[in-house]
Amino acid sequence: IFPALTARRVFKSFRGVVWCAGVLAGVCFFSGMVLSYGWSVPAGASIVLVNLAAYILFSLVDRAGSRPG
């Protein structure tokens, strides 16, 4: 659910959300696995943390893009 929620923060069209969510899921999975291997932490937890970081980053981008003026 995280990749779709994250993509929805920036993209408004269904097609944009689907493509972004798919790419984001792959990137977050790979990054989480690398983080898990490098720091010897559980894989699931590191994937969720990477997804959470992406959500926060996309929320900041969305907020900066929707400022008036």
Side-chain angles (χ1 to χ4, degrees), residues 3-4 9 14 17 22 27 29 48 53 57 68:
R9 301 297 297 172
F14 180 73
V17 169
V27 168
F29 171 77
V48 169
L57 178 69

Side-chain angles (χ1 to χ4, degrees), residues 1 16 25 27 33 46 63:
I1 191 90
V27 168
M33 292 303 288
S46 41
R63 185 170 295 186

